[in-house]
Amino acid sequence: MLPSSARLALIVTLGGFLYLFSSPAPQRLPRPVRNLRHGEIENVTIPKEDWCQPDECASGRWEPRRPPFTSLEQFQEAYANRLDFLWKGCSAIPDPELGAKKISTKGSVDEIRLMQVMNWTWTPHFGKLRKWDAEEFMVRLLKSPGGLILIGDSITQQHNHALGYLLNQANLDFDRNSPHLPMYDHKNVRQLLLKPHDPLTRKVLERAGVPESRLERPVVTMLEEHMLIGQRDIRAITERLGASKDYHWYHDFQRVPGWEKYVADAAKPRPEEEGTVTEDSILLMNAGAHWSRHELAMLPPRPTDKQEQARVKETYKQMMKLIIGRISHIDRLSIFYRSTAPGHPVCERSANPYRNGIVAREAEMDITPRLKAQVEGEVKQQRARWDWDLFEVHNELWRKAIDGLMRERAWRRSRTGRARGAKWYYLDLWSLSLQRPDAHSEPGIDCLHWCLPSVLNEWTLHLYHNVFLKSISKEDD
């Protein structure tokens, strides 16, 4: 019998070959139609620039990694990290004979799955993404008063975790939640400051050309805020749509009350740093899976699912209006709204990515019936109320709103020569994530969260690339 390491290498290699041989060759793929909503393209031509533009970066397919990882040791060498633990595996896909019962999270089966998940790279149809450079990214964050602030739910937490690993992997070392910082003891606030005496800190500080005082503030902050608004606002919105004023509030949404002021203060230029700390602070924001009938239980029932979902959509629009009104005035702030990532019903049936966005979209239709088909009785309706089919609807609301905000900004600038307030951008990661039903954290149990670092690393690369594009653009200096 072959040694276990040889069996692992053989299984992973064979899996890649089977995918390649079962997939159409890239040059034989149909020429898809460019559709900004769905992230597909048509009439493929040579890109005018080396770098893909944001809508182009979002349109592509996952290609097998070359050369593939064939052992955990090989993967861990590529992701070596002296400052953090090493990734050791992803929960294996359950044995069909065991149903949805989770098998061991340790051992070779989880190592194999980690190899399978990490053996893919995103390739845009047009142009290319800028190669990740953690030091360059850190220089950019140092050049802004507030660095990068992530705000969202547990999936944003996962992204923050994967980002932190990438930064540690580059030997960037941090102090966490230093006592002189605002909200340093808040359970839902995590603030990273570069260690002031670390040699690499001195290097990036010199590259950035900013004063020592910049090291006293975070370069990366995570705010765990599930809904972006609190009980008072949610009650006001839902009561206008029929919710009872006597509704018993039992929800335990994670919150950072006053996060809008925190962001405004973080983005505020410091007089002693003028002329050096001149870039925008970055807010990466998402309000995703919690906006559903399951969580908005205070909304009274309606005759049909469609009517109930229409009210969820209206509550979401009212939340957007509040948030846009509360933070759009902040100067020197670039806001990237990250599209809510899809869930994949029965993700345990997928061992590889979809071949392209068109295939993924067709395969992932009828989300709610597929969610309900997995369970019996009253649980069927509970699954329906997760409203996974509203994720893309809500994404489209943000896309249109942000397009309008930036058009309005451009109009003001054309009239007055300047445009105050935040800049808004839509970070489209929908198709990229839709094509990865194989990459969720616990197949058969959790098909919404992600196996780390997998797809989350790609999210970081897209953010980095978009920030880079904005830094070289003269459209809104």
Side-chain angles (χ1 to χ4, degrees), residues 385-445:
R385 294 176 68 83
W386 289 355
D387 289 331
W388 285 10
D389 52 340
L390 287 182
F391 292 177
E392 193 172 12
V393 173
H394 293 163
N395 285 342
E396 195 62 20
L397 291 175
W398 276 108
R399 187 198 297 277
K400 291 179 179 178
I402 290 170
D403 181 64
L405 288 164
M406 291 307 284
R407 287 177 184 273
E408 180 185 349
R409 181 183 180 87
W411 179 83
R412 292 200 310 268
R413 191 165 185 265
S414 70
R415 294 290 298 270
T416 65
R418 62 186 303 184
R420 301 293 299 272
K423 306 178 187 77
W424 286 84
Y425 305 104
Y426 183 74
L427 186 63
D428 186 0
L429 302 172
W430 177 263
S431 181
L432 176 156
S433 305
L434 186 69
Q435 293 180 44
R436 292 304 305 267
D438 61 304
H440 286 287
S441 59
E442 296 184 276
I445 299 173

Side-chain angles (χ1 to χ4, degrees), residues 5 30 51 69 90 92 95 102 119 199 213 231 253 267 312 326 358 404 469 475:
S5 60
W51 307 122
F69 296 122
C90 291
D95 186 323
K102 181 180 176 183
N119 266 333
S213 60
Q231 178 183 163
F253 300 129
V312 173
R326 290 171 181 174
I358 294 173
L469 288 181
E475 64 183 3

Side-chain angles (χ1 to χ4, degrees), residues 325-365:
R326 290 171 181 174
I327 63 177
S328 285
H329 71 281
I330 302 174
D331 288 328
R332 298 275 304 279
L333 181 67
S334 287
I335 304 170
F336 288 85
Y337 183 82
R338 172 185 63 77
S339 59
T340 298
H344 293 86
V346 296
C347 65
E348 65 273 15
R349 297 179 186 175
S350 298
N352 290 309
Y354 290 118
R355 286 178 286 207
N356 55 53
I358 294 173
V359 174
R361 215 164 51 242
E362 291 175 351
E364 292 298 329
M365 293 174 66

Side-chain angles (χ1 to χ4, degrees), residues 145-439:
L148 169 65
I149 302 170
L150 301 92
I151 183 167
D153 58 19
S154 55
I155 294 177
T156 299
Q157 279 275 35
Q158 286 195 301
H159 185 198
N160 180 61
H161 188 179
L163 169 63
Y165 190 98
L166 281 177
L167 297 175
N168 283 159
Q169 189 182 350
N171 291 320
L172 291 159
D173 203 0
F174 302 98
D175 291 321
R176 290 167 169 78
N177 285 2
S178 297
H180 72 278
L181 296 174
M183 297 191 184
Y184 76 93
D185 56 350
H186 195 295
K187 69 183 182 74
N188 293 328
V189 177
R190 296 160 187 82
Q191 303 171 88
L192 300 184
L193 302 87
L194 285 164
K195 286 185 178 292
H197 302 297
D198 187 89
L200 191 52
T201 295
R202 310 313 304 177
K203 177 184 175 183
V204 294
L205 187 71
E206 183 178 357
R207 281 185 60 184
V210 299
E212 196 83 14
S213 60
R214 180 61 188 86
L215 297 180
E216 297 172 5
R217 302 192 305 281
V219 284
V220 178
T221 301
M222 171 67 210
L223 307 176
E224 187 177 6
E225 169 66 61
H226 287 183
M227 303 291 278
L228 298 186
I229 59 176
Q231 178 183 163
R232 187 175 184 177
D233 288 329
I234 294 173
R235 280 188 181 277
I237 291 171
T238 55
E239 284 172 13
R240 290 196 293 268
L241 295 170
S244 170
K245 293 181 182 293
D246 298 324
Y247 174 78
H248 173 66
W249 190 270
Y250 66 90
H251 306 277
D252 187 27
F253 300 129
Q254 297 304 301
R255 291 229 59 219
V256 182
W259 67 264
E260 301 95 335
K261 183 179 185 302
Y262 177 96
V263 172
D265 290 345
K268 189 180 302 180
R270 274 56 175 180
E272 68 276 13
E273 296 172 354
E274 287 199 14
T276 56
V277 183
T278 57
E279 298 283 356
D280 283 2
S281 301
I282 302 165
L283 177 64
L284 181 63
M285 182 172 69
N286 176 262
H290 290 278
W291 285 89
S292 67
R293 286 175 292 166
H294 177 74
E295 299 291 4
L296 298 174
M298 69 287 293
L299 290 170
R302 302 288 287 175
T304 67
D305 286 345
K306 185 176 180 179
Q307 289 175 318
E308 290 183 349
Q309 286 191 322
R311 288 193 308 181
V312 173
K313 180 180 176 181
E314 183 58 32
T315 65
Y316 197 85
K317 290 166 68 176
Q318 294 301 315
M319 175 273 292
M320 289 173 57
K321 184 177 179 181
L322 287 177
I323 297 304
I324 290 169
R326 290 171 181 174
I327 63 177
S328 285
H329 71 281
I330 302 174
D331 288 328
R332 298 275 304 279
L333 181 67
S334 287
I335 304 170
F336 288 85
Y337 183 82
R338 172 185 63 77
S339 59
T340 298
H344 293 86
V346 296
C347 65
E348 65 273 15
R349 297 179 186 175
S350 298
N352 290 309
Y354 290 118
R355 286 178 286 207
N356 55 53
I358 294 173
V359 174
R361 215 164 51 242
E362 291 175 351
E364 292 298 329
M365 293 174 66
D366 302 320
I367 293 175
T368 300
R370 291 165 60 221
L371 274 172
K372 293 167 67 175
Q374 303 173 69
V375 293
E376 301 294 336
E378 295 181 0
V379 183
K380 284 183 178 289
Q381 190 56 27
Q382 293 175 17
R383 289 285 181 94
R385 294 176 68 83
W386 289 355
D387 289 331
W388 285 10
D389 52 340
L390 287 182
F391 292 177
E392 193 172 12
V393 173
H394 293 163
N395 285 342
E396 195 62 20
L397 291 175
W398 276 108
R399 187 198 297 277
K400 291 179 179 178
I402 290 170
D403 181 64
L405 288 164
M406 291 307 284
R407 287 177 184 273
E408 180 185 349
R409 181 183 180 87
W411 179 83
R412 292 200 310 268
R413 191 165 185 265
S414 70
R415 294 290 298 270
T416 65
R418 62 186 303 184
R420 301 293 299 272
K423 306 178 187 77
W424 286 84
Y425 305 104
Y426 183 74
L427 186 63
D428 186 0
L429 302 172
W430 177 263
S431 181
L432 176 156
S433 305
L434 186 69
Q435 293 180 44
R436 292 304 305 267
D438 61 304

Side-chain angles (χ1 to χ4, degrees), residues 22-213:
S22 64
S23 304
Q27 64 270 25
R28 294 181 182 176
L29 282 173
R31 292 174 179 262
V33 176
R34 175 175 289 189
N35 182 318
L36 296 186
R37 178 175 180 182
H38 297 299
E40 290 309 322
I41 55 171
E42 139 170 66
N43 301 325
V44 177
T45 58
I46 297 173
K48 295 179 181 178
E49 300 177 1
D50 286 337
W51 307 122
C52 57
Q53 296 304 303
D55 60 302
E56 297 169 340
C57 303
S59 174
R61 63 172 282 176
W62 291 89
E63 301 277 1
R65 187 182 188 276
R66 293 187 174 88
F69 296 122
T70 57
S71 70
L72 182 65
E73 293 74 22
Q74 195 179 74
F75 167 79
Q76 289 182 336
E77 182 179 353
Y79 281 80
N81 194 330
R82 69 177 181 84
L83 299 172
D84 208 336
F85 67 90
L86 293 172
W87 307 113
K88 294 182 179 179
C90 291
S91 294
I93 296 174
D95 186 323
E97 295 182 1
L98 300 177
K101 182 179 179 181
K102 181 180 176 183
I103 64 175
S104 171
T105 58
K106 299 183 183 298
S108 62
V109 287
D110 294 337
E111 294 176 9
I112 292 171
R113 180 155 188 262
L114 181 62
M115 297 304 97
Q116 291 172 331
V117 168
M118 295 301 298
N119 266 333
W120 302 92
T121 58
W122 178 255
T123 304
H125 290 310
F126 286 95
K128 61 184 180 181
L129 288 161
R130 185 171 176 80
K131 186 177 180 181
W132 167 252
D133 184 329
E135 289 185 26
E136 182 181 63
F137 190 52
M138 191 53 56
V139 166
R140 169 60 181 81
L141 299 184
L142 283 169
K143 287 183 175 181
S144 68
L148 169 65
I149 302 170
L150 301 92
I151 183 167
D153 58 19
S154 55
I155 294 177
T156 299
Q157 279 275 35
Q158 286 195 301
H159 185 198
N160 180 61
H161 188 179
L163 169 63
Y165 190 98
L166 281 177
L167 297 175
N168 283 159
Q169 189 182 350
N171 291 320
L172 291 159
D173 203 0
F174 302 98
D175 291 321
R176 290 167 169 78
N177 285 2
S178 297
H180 72 278
L181 296 174
M183 297 191 184
Y184 76 93
D185 56 350
H186 195 295
K187 69 183 182 74
N188 293 328
V189 177
R190 296 160 187 82
Q191 303 171 88
L192 300 184
L193 302 87
L194 285 164
K195 286 185 178 292
H197 302 297
D198 187 89
L200 191 52
T201 295
R202 310 313 304 177
K203 177 184 175 183
V204 294
L205 187 71
E206 183 178 357
R207 281 185 60 184
V210 299
E212 196 83 14
S213 60

